[in-house]
């Protein structure tokens, strides 16, 4: 269970990769991964290819990131979703709030 951040200055992109369970235990690490980033200059990619599970607190954390990024669906992209994770995101109508790749 970890949260990793990669910053690509050339692409103006921050990638936050989640490995393992994405739940409340990752709240501080997830917040710290974007908190020091200038949201006006960067786009965010949340890589869930290593996530085996996400719960309602993870959905809330994604919404907080979206708000931090300015509330625009194009500023935050969620990638690498397994079938189960994608199903949870679709049930929550997150395809309307985020770009899902």
């Amino acid at each position: 269970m970890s949260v990793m951040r990669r910053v690509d200055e050339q692409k103006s992109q921050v990638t936050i990769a989640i490995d393992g369970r994405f739940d409340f235990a990752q709240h501080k690490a997830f917040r710290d991964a974007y908190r020091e980033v200038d949201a006006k200059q960067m786009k965010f990619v949340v890589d869930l290819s290593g996530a085996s599970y996400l719960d309602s607190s993870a959905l809330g954390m994604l919404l907080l990131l979206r708000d931090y990024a300015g509330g625009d669906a194009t500023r935050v992209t969620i990638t690498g979703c397994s079938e189960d994770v994608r199903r949870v995101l679709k049930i929550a109508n997150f395809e309307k709030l985020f770009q899902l790749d």
Side-chain angles (χ1 to χ4, degrees):
M1 295 181 269
S2 67
V3 177
M4 306 274 286
R5 176 179 79 172
R6 291 183 309 271
V7 178
D8 186 337
E9 296 288 342
Q10 290 181 336
K11 291 183 180 178
S12 298
Q13 177 175 297
V14 176
T15 301
I16 303 170
I18 309 296
D19 187 36
R21 293 174 61 90
F22 189 18
D23 56 21
F24 189 74
Q26 271 54 298
H27 184 264
K28 182 180 181 335
F30 185 78
R31 187 186 65 229
D32 290 348
Y34 67 81
R35 199 167 81 179
E36 300 296 321
V37 175
D38 183 1
K40 292 182 175 118
Q41 302 298 320
M42 300 294 239
K43 290 188 178 184
F44 297 89
V45 175
V46 179
D47 180 0
L48 297 179
S49 59
S52 57
Y53 168 84
L54 73 124
D55 66 5
S56 62
S57 63
L59 297 176
M61 288 184 269
L62 290 169
L63 290 173
L64 290 172
L65 172 59
R66 183 178 186 270
D67 288 345
Y68 183 82
D72 185 357
T74 62
R75 306 281 305 160
V76 180
T77 302
I78 300 173
T79 65
C81 300
S82 69
E83 197 174 307
D84 290 338
V85 168
R86 184 174 292 276
R87 188 176 313 118
V88 171
L89 294 172
K90 285 192 174 194
I91 289 170
N93 286 317
F94 270 42
E95 72 271 6
K96 294 178 182 176
L97 301 173
F98 298 91
Q99 284 186 312
L100 298 181
D101 289 343

